[in-house]
Amino acid sequence: MPRIFISHAGRDRAWAEWARWHLDAAGYETELDSVDWAAGTNFVEAMHRALSRQNPMLILLSSAYLEPDRFTTDEWTARLAQRRADPETKLIPLRIDRVDLRGGLWAPIIVPEVFGLSADRAVGVLLDSVGQVSAPPGDGGRVVAPPYPGGPSTTETGGPRPPGSLPRLWNLARRNPAFTGRDAMLNRLYDTLGSNRRAAVQALHGTGGVGKTQLALEYAHRFAGEYDLVWWIPSERPELIGDHLADLATKAGQAVAGTATPDAVDALGQHLRGRSRWLLIFDNAEDRDDLVRWLPDGPGHLIITSRNPGWTGVAQPMDVDVFTRSESTALLHSYLPHLDDRNADRLADALGDLPLAIGQAADLLAETHIDIDAYLAALRMHAADLLGDSRPPIGYPAPLASSVAVAAQRLAGDDPAAGQLLALCAHLGPEPIPADLFTGRPDLLQPPLAELARRTVAFGRTVAKLRQYGLARIVDGGPLLHRLTQAVLRDTDPESVAHRHTVEGLLIAARPENSHAPAWWPRWAQLLPHILALDPAVNDNPDIRLVANEAVWFLLARGDAGAALPLAEQLHAAWAERHGPDDDATLEAANNLARAYNHFGRYREARDLHEDALARKRRLLGDEHRSTLRSATNLIATVTLLGEHEQARELGEEMLARCRRVLGHDDGLTLGAADNFAGALRALKDYEHARALDEDTLAQRRRTLGNDHPDTLRSAHNLADHLRALGRFEQAREADEETLAGRRRVLGDDHSDTLRSVTSLAIDLRALGEYERARELDEDTLARRRRKLGDRHPNTIWSARNLADDLEALGRHAEAEQLRSGQALP
């Protein structure tokens, strides 16, 4: 017999489970993805089989089901398309909420309703609707749950009631009508509880306001039909938990009013041990030792919400994180229907997708109609005031700022060292903070934190306190704070300036040795968000500005010019205004900015910066200062890129001689001057002279830096270019293959230097007649450059022309002409 495929939105999992249970009980064969598709199932293949025409499709229509960005859209549109081709295709729609079907494709289709009915009537509508399309199995008899609320047998043998129908024993608050998203998390919680294990819903990420309580409340309402008893127990005051359980015992008929609390709780425990289909929610518990003695045994379900993640051995943890971006914008649009997508995204990003903050902002904006830009400016300047004065959204007891401030005060009172650590973390970035930032320089800290930072285990316990109080997550051994938590802490910290200075000292001390060497890049990547958190554009600490410039150089060396360019522009403009164009940091920022301009083909702007910096350094430092020589050397490369080869040759010859005389032949800057001078000679087709320079530079770099240093690989690449220019293509290919392997290993496949090596190798192969392999390399390089640089970048255009040459050599003339004419480059 064909299987009835149950198509539903993730939000409507409870309805799908209800329909499956009653159809199975009536003898039908069903297929439900969450039940029948095991982990590892090929989703596309399983869906293809389920949508075959012989399988009836039961569609549970709801407002969520018809949201255009859900996978369900593919399911129902495919079935309607099948119906147009074959009217016998079986479709069974049921409406499970008040979704409006009066317009669009569903308007002419009869859709019965099952929501808002009694339990037995809802089952009757389900089975009647299915029976009209697919003959009932056997003799057509149906199995219907006993009437609800009914007698005791209903609780154990009648199957699930329709979702939304509440059990007799129920004390929960009303459902939050603004609850948004979290479908996957709620279904995962359902599956976890269904495995007869306890589950703790907890903010492992450690931030208050992620919606733990709201998640538990929504779960209880969404899956209420699965239970005959659901009870909410406030647990922030452990001494009152027993009274709440005694009240439940009385409501359940297991105790009478006035029964001693221990006796009532014992009676309730005996009652629950013999029954299933119950759910107890212990909300806002703080410590497992205070709660564990109150947790009943038995086959029911328990949910614990807590800021403290320490529930090992008591409950299975579930991380409750911030919203996804789509969930944030959906909630904002529900409050602010006229908000455009761009501003919704800006708000969500500024608020870090934190549910409580999103709700507060939406509520305030809906009430006051404040301009979005004005709100974001106020958030940047006065986060604590803005997030403390506005009322919390429904379901949250206090505004975000109040919640953070109370937790921070309690932490500082219970553990002063942890309070100090929290205050320092507030001035760092909203990214994982390496623990060794503190333990590496305890001498820069104040007591009592300084003493603990000298002891690894003790410091680890101090970090854990931040998580225990719901103020941080622990990632890779270090804390991670939400950006709004940090903003509130900074705004309310009476010693904010002193703590900021301490953080500056820690970052200066942690500065990696070399931004050019790949070995140090992981450390630079780790520290970069924390350097930027100190806003170096307006920071007057010269050492912080030095570190910021080196961070930009790291981005450029790593091949991330897209991130380096706006940062370099910001720093250069800000420092030129604040400190003047002659300031050391300003001049270094100009060098970084010019290098970024070169990467994006903005050669004239790069030359203007280099020439200005060189003139200033000659005036301030003299012609032979190292910094002056570096500016002159950088100018050589830019002038060559502009095609002014004779000027580049003259400057290159002068600078190489001066660097050798002042710095010596083996100095890194001297070798850089040799590189750039050789490039100018190569542009003038003086290949033999350039080759000799490159051979000498490569030998010295291999000796001093090793074979895998990026500078060594650059020299090897340059030498291969000269071999090619001299017509020695086989030798050039061998050199390019070796260099490409090194660059892929050290820099990765997408680095600009790696792509240059791929391009050079493709040219070698084309010269040697290996056109198909050259085409494969050029095609891949063109795709990567389009993605990273855009269609109009000189390197992208160069790759397109190289690919056109490959296609021409392969006889694919029309495709080659299309690339050459620019049709493939919008």
Side-chain angles (χ1 to χ4, degrees), residues 500 531-532 534-540 544-545 548 567 569-579:
R500 179 185 175 90
I531 295 168
L532 298 182
L534 293 174
D535 199 358
V538 297
N539 194 306
D540 291 332
I544 287 296
R545 288 187 281 137
L567 179 56
E569 287 180 325
Q570 178 197 21
L571 296 179
H572 180 255
W575 292 343
E577 181 178 353
R578 290 175 66 89
H579 307 288

Side-chain angles (χ1 to χ4, degrees), residues 520-529 554 558:
W520 287 103
W521 291 352
R523 182 61 166 174
W524 274 109
Q526 192 179 45
L527 295 180
L528 179 61
F554 146 70
R558 192 180 64 177

Side-chain angles (χ1 to χ4, degrees), residues 735-753:
D736 277 324
E737 285 178 335
E738 181 181 354
T739 304
L740 175 58
R743 280 178 161 172
R744 280 176 168 162
R745 183 173 61 253
V746 175
L747 305 174
D749 290 338
D750 281 340
H751 195 282
S752 57
D753 286 356

